[in-house]
Each structure stands twice: as C-alpha cells, then as structure tokens.
C-alpha cells in the first residue's frame, strides 16, 4: 500500500542519513588522529607515556596502602581536614596525622623504588 511504501522510504532515507552522519564523524576523527600523529613530537609522546606510567604506579601504590592509611588519605583528598576525619572515624587527631604521614611515606618510598629501578635499567 501507499502508506507502507511511504514508511519504508522514510526508514531507508533516515538510515542513509544516519550512515552519512556516522561516516562524517569517522572521517573527522581520522583526520584529527592523523593530524595529531603527524604533529606530535617524540618528546611529547615520551612525556605523555611517562605521565601515564607514573599515574598507573600511584594508583597501584594507593591500592596497596593499609586500609587505615587508605581511608584517611581518601577522606583527606576529598577535602576533609584532620579534625573532620578524626570525628568521622572516631579517632584522635594524632592518629589521623600518623596515618596520613604513613600513607605519604609509603607512596614516596614506592615511587622512589620505581625511579631507582628505572634509572638502573636505563644506565
């Protein structure tokens, strides 16, 4: 019937428009990738890779923190001060300071070990 033909034509037309939009987006994305790959210096790529490795290391170290240190550090990162964290966890302020200090020292030691290992491998 005429109505069914109209629906089919509209459906096909919309599918074509969708395909054309998708193709245009893909071309645009490919052009951007090619532009960035042609204009990205090796130094920028190296720096980006190092930043990603460092971020991965920090996340791994954070996951390995003792639970008490991790809880305190998370609350601190979310903006709570020592007094607020102590009240929230029902601990003394000194305990919070100690846990925060322990967490930071563990992170520093882990990063230092990583850098020392990397430097030995590069030399």
């Amino acid at each position: 019937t005429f109505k069914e033909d109209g629906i089919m034509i509209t459906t096909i037309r919309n599918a074509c428009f969708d395909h054309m939009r998708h193709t245009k987006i893909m071309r645009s994305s490919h052009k951007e990738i090619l532009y960035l790959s042609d204009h990205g210096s090796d130094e920028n790529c190296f720096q980006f890779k190092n930043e990603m490795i460092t971020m991965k290391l920090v996340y791994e170290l954070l996951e390995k923190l003792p639970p008490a240190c991790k809880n305190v550090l998370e609350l601190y990162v979310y903006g709570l001060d020592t007094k607020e964290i102590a009240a929230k966890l029902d601990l003394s302020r000194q305990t919070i300071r100690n846990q925060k200090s322990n967490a930071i020292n563990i992170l520093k030691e882990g990063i230092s070990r990583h850098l020392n290992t990397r430097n030995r491998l590069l030399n």
Side-chain angles (χ1 to χ4, degrees):
T1 66
F2 183 71
K3 185 177 181 181
E4 291 170 345
D5 290 343
I7 292 172
M8 187 173 8
I9 290 171
T10 302
T11 303
I12 292 170
R13 185 186 69 214
N14 289 340
C16 289
F17 285 140
D18 287 345
H19 177 71
M20 288 170 27
R21 263 187 248 119
H22 177 71
T23 302
K24 184 178 178 182
I25 291 169
M26 293 301 290
R27 279 191 197 131
S28 175
S29 296
H30 286 245
K31 284 180 186 177
E32 187 174 348
I33 290 168
L34 288 173
Y35 174 81
L36 291 173
S37 65
D38 287 343
H39 292 86
S41 69
D42 290 340
E43 183 179 321
N44 288 343
C45 291
F46 181 74
Q47 182 180 354
F48 178 75
K49 184 177 179 183
N50 278 339
E51 288 173 5
M52 291 299 104
I53 290 169
T54 302
M55 292 290 290
K56 182 178 183 244
L57 172 66
V58 169
Y59 283 119
E60 288 172 358
L61 292 170
L62 285 170
E63 287 302 314
K64 292 178 182 178
L65 284 175
C69 291
K70 187 176 179 181
N71 288 341
V72 168
L73 194 60
E74 284 176 352
L75 293 171
Y76 180 70
V77 169
Y78 284 123
L80 276 65
D81 63 20
T82 301
K83 184 179 177 181
E84 293 169 323
I85 296 170
K88 184 172 181 71
L89 298 179
D90 195 29
L91 297 170
S92 73
R93 290 183 194 174
Q94 188 57 48
T95 300
I96 300 305
R97 286 186 202 102
N98 291 342
Q99 293 296 345
K100 200 178 346 175
S101 177
N102 289 342
I104 290 169
N105 286 333
I106 291 169
L107 293 174
K108 283 181 181 178
E109 288 172 13
I111 291 170
S112 178
R113 268 194 315 273
H114 172 76
L115 292 176
N116 289 337
T117 301
R118 189 180 77 180
N119 288 338
R120 276 196 308 267
L121 293 173
L122 293 175
N123 292 328

